Amino acid sequence: TVVTRSSVPLLRVTTVYRPSDAMKPLFRARGATDGRAFLDEAQVLAILEAHVAAVSAGGGAEGGGGGQSSHSAWVLDPLLSDALFRGGEAAKDPQAGAASMPPKEVRRRFLKRLEQWTRVSGGALEKPMHARGEPPKVVLTTEQRRGHSVTCVAELAAYSIDPYTAARELAGVCGATANVEEEALKSGVQKRVVSVQGLWDRSITEWLAAKHGLPPSCVENRAAAMKGPGHAQKKEKKATNVRRA
């Protein structure tokens, strides 16, 4: 997912991979010796197809190989078979031990066996960050305090968004009082949550996208998931000060 706004830093959220332990011998045989390197889908499939081509050309696991195999079924040599089936639930797969398999199915299984990570780069981040599985979320919740609704915005630090600046900007965007609540956690870390008077979860989600380029995959709107009135911003209620840069 790529979200762009003029004058807004680009935030890029992509899926990347690392080989699992069972797959590392195949990667090393193809020259990809750094098992901690992050690779995109095109890179890991290129390694797979280079291996298949080497085996097809008679070079075996260590061979240089020729062109990519054009066979309707790819031979599952020991390294590729281990990459697809060794360890875990895959070892119980009825296809474990098969001598060959259609290329489309090999690619699908190969990608499924990789460690999947999410890379987030750009925006206010000084350097890319990687998270196993899904990206970290900015969390939106709503609460009732002394008879009044409050929208809370937590985990802004995950994307290097300053909560005090966010509070000032959201006060203008929503036309409501906003401040930062601080809480010292047992770990010694200071947790800072922006609170905005009223129900503003949709407007804040739009602001996060327009101002910081956060796609929906990086925002968890718990208020919108709650049933019944009084939890989330009404559709007809709009923050007229939300501006697209």
Side-chain angles (χ1 to χ4, degrees):
T1 304
V2 180
V3 179
T4 58
R5 303 285 189 275
S6 58
S7 76
V8 175
L10 177 73
L11 185 74
R12 184 174 179 84
V13 181
T14 54
T15 300
V16 291
Y17 302 92
R18 279 176 171 173
S20 63
D21 288 342
M23 305 177 85
K24 287 178 180 178
L26 185 150
F27 276 70
R28 287 195 293 267
R30 300 275 61 86
T33 57
D34 185 358
R36 296 185 61 79
F38 292 102
L39 305 170
D40 61 27
E41 181 174 322
Q43 290 172 312
V44 297
L45 289 179
I47 290 171
L48 167 64
E49 292 172 4
H51 181 79
V52 170
V55 173
S56 177
E62 304 299 331
Q68 179 181 326
S69 171
S70 59
H71 297 163
S72 59
W74 284 353
V75 173
L76 303 185
D77 71 298
L79 286 184
L80 181 51
S81 182
D82 281 353
L84 297 181
F85 298 112
R86 196 186 82 194
E89 291 298 315
K92 304 175 184 178
D93 192 300
Q95 293 295 317
S100 63
M101 189 174 290
K104 183 177 180 180
E105 182 65 9
V106 175
R107 292 188 186 98
R108 184 188 71 82
R109 289 173 178 266
F110 196 79
L111 287 173
K112 188 177 179 180
R113 287 275 283 173
L114 292 160
E115 290 182 2
Q116 182 175 319
W117 293 68
T118 298
R119 173 190 287 150
V120 183
S121 57
L125 298 172
E126 294 183 359
K127 60 181 181 180
M129 66 176 179
H130 296 86
R132 184 74 181 269
E134 294 293 316
K137 312 281 188 182
V138 171
V139 179
L140 305 183
T141 57
T142 55
E143 301 176 5
Q144 289 290 321
R145 298 179 182 176
R146 298 179 181 178
H148 297 282
S149 299
V150 177
T151 303
C152 298
V153 189
E155 310 302 335
L156 289 170
Y159 294 98
S160 299
I161 299 173
D162 178 63
Y164 298 97
T165 302
R168 288 194 299 270
E169 294 184 1
L170 288 174
V173 165
C174 300
T177 301
N179 54 51
V180 178
E181 300 172 350
E182 298 186 352
E183 178 186 356
L185 302 179
K186 291 182 179 180
S187 62
V189 175
Q190 196 80 5
K191 181 179 180 180
R192 295 179 174 88
V193 176
V194 175
S195 63
V196 186
Q197 295 295 318
L199 300 176
W200 296 105
D201 55 289
R202 282 196 310 110
S203 295
I204 294 172
T205 299
E206 293 173 3
W207 173 81
L208 287 167
K211 177 68 177 182
H212 297 283
L214 264 71
S217 61
C218 296
V219 181
E220 181 180 352
N221 187 348
R222 295 179 183 174
M226 297 180 70
K227 296 181 180 180
H231 297 297
Q233 183 177 351
K234 294 180 180 179
K235 289 186 178 180
E236 64 270 19
K237 180 182 178 183
K238 295 183 178 180
T240 56
N241 294 329
V242 175
R243 294 188 179 92
R244 302 274 179 183

